[in-house]
Amino acid sequence: MTTANPTTVARDGGSSPGPGHRRRKETGRARASGLPAWSIPYVLLVPGLLVIAGLLLYPMFQLAVMAFQKVGLAQIRGTRPAEWVGLENFEKILANDIFWSALRNTVAFAFVAVSLTLVVGTAVGVLLHRLGRRMSLFVVIGCMFAWAVPPVAQGVIWRSLFDAEAGIVNWALDLLPDWLAAPPDGQSSWVGTPWLNDTLPLYIALVVCVVWAGFPFIAVSVLAGLKGIPAELYEAARVDGSGAWRTFTKITLPMLKPVFAVLTVLSIIWDFKVFSQLYVLMNGPTNRDGFNLSMYAVAEAFKPPQKLGSGAAISVVLTIILLVITVVYVRQIVKQEEM
């Protein structure tokens, strides 16, 4: 009769600790620390949670508190204590027409930008999947350069491209035939056309800027998802005579649904709170008709007279909107998965 050996023989003739030995070693460490073995993973999470609480949760708590206070320059300097005003800040912003204009601009811009970013990113991701290894790597590196550009630099680049007098956009439109891109009424040329003064052309420039910087992340994520789809599925579809579009809609899209769910949520959050690019394109909070909620919050908080309480209230409303949209979307995805 043989007895269980706490060690197992390794392939090279030596011995290595068996599972029982490792469990006893881990239990010994837990006893040495004075903590139950099951609590060790949670204890290791504490440092990260403290960092998150310090960098995210505490500022969010302060923002929520400030939304119910009257905070101005005197309160910032400490010469006068903050005054609790209850829901007054929320009542003021909801009664202001600029808030509803900013909300409309935010929702419309996010819808267009998220849709175009997902479409362009998916198309590029599928293209990268079909390219050879070297060419795919070359295109990915080129795309990631755009994604790595900081938001302020993105705004500077596209502000110069949409410049009325020296911008490349107006120059390129002049090269197109009139039936495809006729100059505005009363003008013989696109040169001199201001893109960044009025709300609609301003947001066209902003959509182009955000899609240009955002599609590389979508493309690389879709490419990673495509790498995980078994090639046998595409071979079976090819044998059955399935076309490219039918294969994409019946195989690729369903298999990438979890990827698209995450990308859609992230894109909605990012595009709803776009600020830096709009600030640079607009050259500051100058055009109230072109405000989105982020720009409106900054203008209320920091333009004289400073009203940080109102700015905080706008930020709280924006956060609640994002939470509601995210929760509803995720619940719909979960219900579809269950069905």
Side-chain angles (χ1 to χ4, degrees):
M1 180 177 181
T2 59
T3 58
N5 196 330
T7 60
T8 57
V9 178
R11 291 184 179 179
D12 58 357
S15 60
S16 61
H21 179 75
R22 285 195 293 268
R23 282 195 295 270
R24 287 195 296 272
K25 190 174 182 180
E26 293 172 358
T27 305
R29 289 178 180 174
R31 290 175 179 173
S33 63
L35 297 172
W38 61 267
S39 66
I40 298 297
Y42 300 98
V43 172
L44 295 176
L45 290 175
V46 170
L49 293 176
L50 290 176
V51 173
I52 293 175
L55 297 180
L56 294 178
L57 299 182
Y58 179 72
M60 290 178 64
F61 172 75
Q62 288 292 91
L63 180 73
V65 171
M66 194 180 297
F68 297 94
Q69 295 177 334
K70 182 179 181 181
V71 182
L73 193 59
Q75 286 75 22
I76 297 175
R77 291 175 175 175
T79 59
R80 191 182 305 171
E83 176 185 351
W84 283 90
V85 294
L87 297 175
E88 181 179 335
N89 290 327
F90 294 94
E91 293 172 355
K92 286 182 178 180
I93 63 172
L94 294 176
N96 195 328
D97 292 337
I98 299 177
F99 171 82
W100 298 105
S101 173
L103 178 61
R104 182 183 65 248
N105 292 339
T106 302
V107 174
F109 164 76
F111 177 79
V112 175
V114 170
S115 302
L116 289 179
T117 304
L118 289 174
V119 170
V120 175
T122 302
V124 174
V126 173
L127 173 65
L128 292 173
H129 187 59
R130 292 177 176 271
L131 292 176
R133 184 175 180 181
R134 293 184 178 180
M135 182 57 68
S136 177
L137 178 62
F138 176 76
V139 176
V140 166
I141 293 175
C143 291
M144 295 310 290
F145 276 126
W147 185 70
V149 176
V152 173
Q154 297 169 20
V156 172
I157 292 171
W158 287 97
R159 181 175 176 83
S160 65
L161 293 177
F162 279 96
D163 185 79
E165 300 297 334
I168 294 179
V169 172
N170 284 340
W171 171 80
L173 290 173
D174 270 339
L175 299 179
L176 299 176
D178 289 345
W179 63 268
L180 185 60
D185 294 338
Q187 294 183 211
S188 59
S189 170
W190 279 95
V191 176
T193 302
W195 284 87
L196 307 178
N197 292 345
D198 297 327
T199 301
L200 181 58
L202 170 65
Y203 273 89
I204 291 176
L206 182 62
V207 166
V208 173
C209 175
V210 170
V211 171
W212 171 78
F215 85 86
F217 177 76
I218 306 295
V220 173
S221 300
V222 170
L223 175 62
L226 290 172
K227 297 292 185 183
I229 300 178
E232 292 80 3
L233 295 177
Y234 292 109
E235 294 175 1
R238 196 178 300 112
V239 170
D240 291 340
S242 177
W245 177 250
R246 184 175 178 81
T247 302
F248 179 77
T249 56
K250 297 299 182 180
I251 297 178
T252 305
L253 279 182
M255 296 295 290
L256 292 181
K257 186 177 293 185
V259 176
F260 283 123
V262 175
L263 293 177
T264 302
V265 171
L266 290 176
S267 298
I268 290 173
I269 294 173
W270 291 339
D271 292 346
F272 250 83
K273 59 187 185 68
V274 163
F275 170 74
S276 300
Q277 300 94 321
L278 180 60
Y279 187 92
V280 175
L281 290 174
M282 193 184 288
N283 197 22
T286 53
N287 180 10
R288 290 181 174 270
D289 292 335
F291 281 3
N292 63 0
L293 288 179
S294 297
M295 183 68 72
Y296 182 39
V298 171
E300 282 290 298
F302 298 108
K303 286 190 69 175
Q306 288 84 357
K307 294 177 287 186
L308 273 74
S310 297
I314 299 169
S315 300
V316 169
V317 172
L318 177 58
T319 303
I320 293 174
I321 293 173
L322 284 175
L323 287 175
V324 171
I325 292 176
T326 303
V327 169
V328 171
Y329 182 78
V330 171
R331 287 190 63 184
Q332 292 297 323
I333 294 297
V334 171
K335 287 182 179 180
Q336 291 178 5
E337 292 293 334
E338 292 176 351
M339 294 175 61

